[in-house]
Amino acid sequence: MADAKVIPFDDDRSRARRRPARAEGEAAAVRALPGPQQAPGEPGKPGRREEGSEAPEASRNLGASGDSGPETGVGREPGRGASGGSGWERRLASGLAFLRRRVTGEYEVDEFGYDEELTDQVLMSLLRPLYEKYFRVEVKGVENIPAEGGALIVANHSGTLPLDGLMMQVAVHDHHPAGRHLRLLAADLVFVLPVVNELARKAGHTLACAEDAERLLRAGEIVGVMPEGFKGIGKPFGERYKLQRFGRGGFISTALRAGVPIVPCSIVGAEEIYPMLGNAKTLARVLGFPYFPLTPTFPWLGPLGALPLPTKWTIQFGEPIETDSYAPEAAEDPMLMFNLTDQVREQIQHTLYKLLVQRRSVFF
């Protein structure tokens, strides 16, 4: 694979040692995250593409309108619909161009390893059938996410496996009018698992630490965090939809320092995909996992037991909580952090109860 020009982000060598190394032999160019002083690269996405980039602005519009498949990222000819006679030729040309860029290294990743082209054209296409056909996700309030600039989305976490974060990522990507991308903060375990590590980096995920979150927010990115962590995703089925502790408000202080709004997000449907009836703690310690779930189907049915139940999901984004009115030193006020954390948590919990009352069935 041909080597491409590397554009350094900064000289933060201590961070580089902490972040998991990129796969050996990768030759993609590294682009710097945009700063607030840079001109926007496209509407609603500050500095995402450099001038002359191959991916046109039409790709964002296609993503926002719900179109999927190999045409994503390819502009349509004037007066020609997707069902035109030469549609297959455009799809073939797009696919061949995509493969050529991957082979020659003519694509970009940012300092965190995010590969926007691969995410748009491959990873989102793989997740979309699960999102649209299997879980039949209904999205509400996506307009509460800003069209430009940074924002922190705070959501509840559940489901034994972190599929809720991935579905939230598809919801923002496909339904936001500006076609924005969600950058999720993930636990350290994600970045030590083979294959999962590389896919997470390519999809835009990064370590759940204040430094990474603040850099992304200041660069105008939409960042997603699930403060419950393993306490939420690994809780027993009997405690479903009861929010666990949100920590010490680290995500609140990060949003205050960056001066970005906080958008509460409530997810209903994920709790029932793997009803966790028990936890094999000894086996979990041996394997190095935070828990080892016992469900009605797993591990009794083997690999078939890992298939999630086809529940009906609802993802609702609430009214944003503005933080730009607070002084920078407010991030060091523990009482303010406690009050804002409690406000976000209560808003998410209240919306969960409201959605549960409105839900007709777990599966329909």
Side-chain angles (χ1 to χ4, degrees):
M1 185 182 294
D3 290 338
K5 181 179 179 182
V6 175
I7 306 174
F9 180 71
D10 58 15
D11 195 24
D12 192 355
R13 292 182 174 83
S14 62
R15 175 184 302 279
R17 286 194 298 270
R18 178 171 54 79
R19 184 175 298 113
R22 195 180 310 284
E24 186 173 347
E26 184 166 344
V30 179
R31 68 172 179 269
L33 284 172
Q37 75 280 5
Q38 290 179 272
E42 64 184 53
K45 193 67 179 177
R48 171 57 62 190
R49 290 283 182 184
E50 297 177 357
E51 186 177 354
S53 173
E54 290 189 28
E57 182 180 349
S59 63
R60 301 284 74 79
N61 297 330
L62 287 173
S65 64
D67 291 350
S68 61
E71 269 194 344
T72 303
V74 179
R76 292 179 179 173
E77 300 174 11
R80 301 292 296 273
S83 60
S86 61
W88 69 271
E89 294 178 352
R90 293 197 302 274
R91 289 193 293 270
L92 178 61
S94 172
L96 292 176
F98 173 78
L99 291 175
R100 178 187 61 80
R101 289 191 295 272
R102 310 315 291 186
V103 171
T104 60
E106 296 177 6
Y107 62 94
E108 291 181 337
V109 296
D110 70 11
E111 179 67 11
F112 294 90
Y114 175 46
D115 189 331
E116 183 177 339
E117 182 185 48
L118 182 69
T119 299
D120 287 351
Q121 298 198 25
V122 178
L123 300 182
M124 288 294 110
S125 297
L126 294 175
L127 291 172
R128 199 167 283 121
L130 188 66
Y131 174 92
E132 294 178 349
K133 305 298 182 182
Y134 199 78
F135 294 134
R136 295 147 292 147
V137 181
E138 179 183 359
V139 180
K140 299 180 179 180
V142 72
E143 67 278 0
N144 289 319
I145 302 174
E148 58 183 11
L152 183 68
I153 298 179
V154 182
N156 60 303
H157 206 13
S158 62
T160 305
L161 291 181
L163 296 180
D164 50 359
L166 298 177
M167 295 302 101
M168 185 169 64
Q169 189 175 13
V170 179
V172 174
H173 181 276
D174 285 4
H175 293 276
H176 194 276
R180 304 209 63 180
H181 294 79
L182 178 64
R183 308 291 294 271
L184 289 170
L185 302 180
D188 294 357
L189 178 62
V190 172
F191 300 102
V192 299
L193 296 175
V195 181
V196 175
N197 168 32
E198 283 301 312
L199 289 177
R201 286 291 180 190
K202 294 290 187 183
H205 307 172
T206 189
L207 290 170
C209 64
E211 293 83 1
D212 282 5
E214 188 171 351
R215 290 174 70 178
L216 287 169
L217 290 171
R218 290 188 181 279
E221 299 284 350
I222 300 294
V223 177
V225 63
M226 294 172 161
E228 292 177 281
F230 291 125
K231 299 188 301 294
I233 197 174
K235 65 178 177 285
F237 186 67
E239 298 181 15
R240 60 191 180 279
Y241 298 115
K242 297 178 182 178
L243 292 182
Q244 305 299 299
R245 185 172 175 268
F246 266 25
R248 301 178 181 178
F251 65 94
I252 294 290
S253 60
T254 301
L256 286 177
R257 284 193 293 268
V260 300
I262 301 170
V263 181
C265 176
S266 302
I267 304 174
V268 165
E271 293 276 15
E272 295 91 358
I273 61 174
Y274 295 110
M276 186 169 165
L277 304 180
N279 178 16
K281 296 182 179 180
T282 302
L283 186 56
R285 284 195 297 268
V286 171
L287 297 175
F289 296 155
Y291 55 87
F292 189 89
L294 302 176
T295 75
T297 58
F298 183 84
W300 329 114
L301 299 183
L304 186 61
L307 186 68
L309 296 178
T311 58
K312 175 72 170 63
W313 288 35
T314 301
I315 299 178
Q316 179 162 335
F317 299 96
E319 291 286 339
I321 300 172
E322 300 295 338
T323 64
D324 52 4
S325 61
Y326 294 97
E329 57 270 17
E332 309 302 326
D333 184 348
M335 186 56 66
L336 177 62
M337 295 303 100
F338 175 82
N339 290 335
L340 287 176
T341 300
D342 192 57
Q343 179 184 349
V344 174
R345 187 179 182 279
E346 286 301 316
Q347 187 169 338
I348 295 174
Q349 184 70 81
H350 176 75
T351 304
L352 285 175
Y353 288 148
K354 182 179 178 181
L355 292 175
L356 288 171
V357 170
Q358 296 173 351
R359 183 170 67 168
R360 296 179 303 167
S361 165
V362 172
F363 299 101
F364 304 102

